[in-house]
Amino acid sequence: MSDCPEIHNPAALADEAPQLLIDERRVVEVWQAQWLAPALHLTDGRPLRVIYRGVWTRAAGPDFADALLDIGGQLVRGAVEVHVRASAWYAHGHDRDPNYCGVALHVIYWDDLGTPVRDCAGRSVPTIALAHQLAGPLDTFVSPEWPRLDALGFTHCAPVVAAHAPEALVAVWEAAGDERLAGKVARVSGQLTVDSPGQTLYALLLDGLGYSANRTPMQALAERLPLAWIEGAIARHPHTERWAAAAAYLLGVGGFLPLAPRDAALAKLAPATLQAVEHIWETEAADLRYHVLSPTAWRLHRQRPTNHPIRRLLAMASLIAHSEHGLLNECIYAVQADYAHAALRRWLATARPYLGADRAHELIVNAVVPFALAYADQTDNDQLREAASQLWLQLPAGAGNRRIQQVREQICGTAHVPIRSARAEQGLLHLATTGCRQLRCFECPVAQLAQRWEVLKDQCKT
């Protein structure tokens, strides 16, 4: 007898389904548990095999990320969106939202349309209706005891190691963090063969300020408005006007000038300052008019005010204007200072109130340290290389993010293993990208550690 529950009668369910009171969370739980019939088919008849159902995102955009599916014999990786009824796709505006363009699978309970939905590019989205393809009647489904819905897998990776040898796990995380850093240094080294050191650092900082949503327009801005041009332009202004000049060039090329009243309030600029910024843009930046980004280049939907590109660009303006010896030199001086972390925080604090301490820390970890190590290699500067290496080893953990917490929970289960260093945080992100996301569990150093631990336990017993 099979362990799987017997598949219920589709004809009976067809009469029952329209009256069932089902919420979307219930359908999400069914998909998370993969409480489905052994053989699955899309609404267009193609067979579906779920290799990995994805990770629940709990964020704007599709419900599950990084699913791996076999659709009619073709491997597809992508996002999964879940609804009770197919028509919710249009009711929620997903057909007009770029975040849902390219969704790999639309999971619904009941198909009230009869045809697959289309995304903003007009593409037909593969759809599976679960009403006739469950492992049993829906009212008999009980959510199993597992990690939270946003956990990466069905079981934890190394909870025993986490409970009895947490320091061994931390060592693995930090080694993975070093690998992630080495990859960043290699990419920066490649960029240094194309751009000047100052331009490379400037682009890295803008990339970090763009966060995840606006990295592409920040990169475009760095290319259209080079650091050398800004530093040369603001040098012609008195010190008291340099911040306004830098703000004018960055906001102008960013496509935000003149500022709308709502954006002016977001920027928290005094009327006189705003007038100075807009005057400089109107009178001194004629050559930049052809380089202005389109307003649609920026992703502003559901952006917290502190993450808005206007505030991030004003932070960059502050760093440039307050770096008396140039952005590059001020950064290198801080890295080589006796207390480098404190010196860098003081330097980045010149961008307040537009740059908070948490984001400043992320810039140090993701931009300053990789740049300093790559620049040291390019210039064969042993002093800078040693200073940057020591800074990396001493950097504390930051505020973290949901992805870091997900991976730690996936590995540790209920055991609490503190994350005390930036190396460990970066290591968890590296494991998520190279292991969890790629489903390469058997190559993961955490899995290898867990296997060695099991062998060691068996040897101790004998």
Side-chain angles (χ1 to χ4, degrees):
M1 186 181 209
S2 172
D3 292 335
C4 294
E6 195 174 350
I7 301 175
H8 57 276
N9 186 336
L13 182 62
D15 294 333
E16 175 190 10
Q19 285 75 41
L20 287 176
L21 296 177
I22 309 166
D23 61 15
E24 188 173 303
R25 173 65 177 241
R26 187 75 164 161
V27 186
V28 166
E29 289 177 341
V30 167
W31 180 256
Q32 171 82 2
Q34 288 295 286
W35 195 71
L36 307 172
L40 302 173
H41 290 84
L42 301 183
T43 55
D44 62 9
R46 285 180 292 171
L48 169 69
R49 183 166 64 95
V50 181
I51 300 171
Y52 181 55
R53 44 86 171 117
V55 182
W56 191 41
T57 60
R58 288 193 181 188
D63 294 297
F64 287 82
D66 300 325
L68 186 60
L69 311 165
D70 178 345
I71 299 178
Q74 180 179 1
L75 283 179
V76 178
R77 179 185 291 277
V80 174
E81 176 65 6
V82 178
H83 291 121
V84 175
R85 287 176 169 79
S87 57
W89 177 275
Y90 296 112
H92 297 169
H94 298 336
D95 59 315
R96 304 183 303 275
D97 190 340
N99 293 320
Y100 294 83
C101 198
V103 163
L105 183 67
H106 188 203
V107 174
I108 57 176
Y109 181 75
W110 189 252
D111 186 4
D112 60 340
L113 293 179
T115 57
V117 297
R118 294 187 177 274
D119 62 19
C120 64
R123 171 182 169 271
S124 178
V125 182
T127 302
I128 179 171
L130 301 184
H132 297 167
Q133 304 189 77
L134 298 179
L138 186 60
D139 58 4
T140 65
F141 170 69
V142 178
S143 299
E145 292 295 328
W146 52 40
R148 293 195 316 264
L149 278 179
D150 55 349
L152 298 167
F154 291 101
T155 59
H156 298 297
C157 303
V160 177
V161 181
H164 296 91
E167 68 284 351
L169 273 178
V170 172
V172 169
W173 297 348
E174 292 188 336
D178 292 342
E179 287 185 23
R180 183 175 171 89
L181 174 64
K184 292 180 180 179
V185 172
R187 288 190 291 274
V188 176
S189 296
Q191 195 60 38
L192 283 170
T193 64
V194 178
D195 289 327
S196 69
Q199 178 66 20
T200 301
L201 174 62
Y202 167 65
L204 283 170
L205 292 172
L206 280 175
D207 181 79
L209 290 170
Y211 208 50
S212 57
N214 285 304
R215 297 179 67 179
T216 299
M218 284 292 189
Q219 179 183 2
L221 181 64
E223 294 170 354
R224 297 181 183 208
L225 186 65
L227 176 66
W229 192 97
I230 302 180
E231 289 185 332
I234 68 170
R236 296 191 291 268
H237 288 262
H239 279 79
T240 55
E241 295 180 4
R242 288 184 178 178
W243 182 84
Y249 305 138
L250 286 162
L251 291 178
V253 175
F256 293 109
L257 292 182
L259 285 180
R262 180 184 59 185
D263 291 339
L266 182 71
K268 296 184 178 180
L269 296 177
T273 304
L274 176 58
Q275 184 178 7
V277 168
E278 294 185 343
H279 176 74
I280 291 172
W281 174 249
E282 289 295 329
T283 59
E284 300 183 19
D287 294 342
L288 300 176
R289 306 293 171 160
Y290 300 103
H291 301 281
V292 174
L293 290 172
S294 167
T296 59
W298 302 97
R299 181 178 170 184
L300 306 178
H301 179 60
R302 293 190 179 181
Q303 286 289 313
R304 292 189 303 169
T306 54
N307 289 338
H308 196 285
I310 287 176
R311 294 182 63 85
R312 297 305 194 189
L313 293 177
L314 290 175
M316 190 74 249
S318 296
L319 283 178
I320 294 172
H322 292 97
S323 294
E324 293 291 332
H325 302 285
L327 191 74
L328 173 64
N329 290 330
E330 292 287 351
C331 179
I332 297 304
Y333 291 159
V335 172
Q336 296 185 119
D338 289 337
Y339 300 96
H341 188 208
L344 284 167
R345 284 186 299 174
R346 285 195 299 272
W347 175 56
L348 292 170
T350 60
R352 291 178 183 169
Y354 303 110
L355 184 67
D358 290 343
R359 179 52 44 186
H361 178 81
E362 293 299 317
L363 289 178
I364 295 171
V365 172
N366 294 300
V368 173
V369 171
F371 172 79
L373 288 170
Y375 186 48
D377 288 340
Q378 186 197 51
T379 57
D380 198 23
N381 187 330
D382 290 335
Q383 181 182 355
L384 178 59
R385 184 181 298 110
E386 177 63 21
S389 299
Q390 288 300 314
L391 174 63
W392 172 245
L393 295 176
Q394 296 166 6
L395 280 174
N401 58 38
R402 184 173 59 251
R403 189 63 167 169
I404 291 171
Q405 301 306 324
Q406 284 175 350
V407 181
R408 178 172 64 172
E409 182 183 341
Q410 174 66 35
I411 293 171
C412 302
T414 58
H416 179 67
V417 179
I419 305 172
R420 295 194 172 95
S421 68
R423 292 174 69 204
E425 282 188 326
Q426 292 293 299
L428 286 168
L429 290 173
H430 186 66
L431 293 173
T433 302
T434 61
C436 305
R437 184 175 182 182
Q438 304 298 327
L439 306 181
R440 303 175 74 168
C441 299
F442 293 104
E443 300 176 25
C444 177
V446 171
Q448 295 167 3
L449 174 63
Q451 289 175 338
R452 291 197 302 271
W453 181 263
E454 291 298 325
V455 171
L456 181 61
K457 282 200 309 178
D458 292 341
Q459 291 174 346
C460 292
K461 289 178 182 178
T462 57

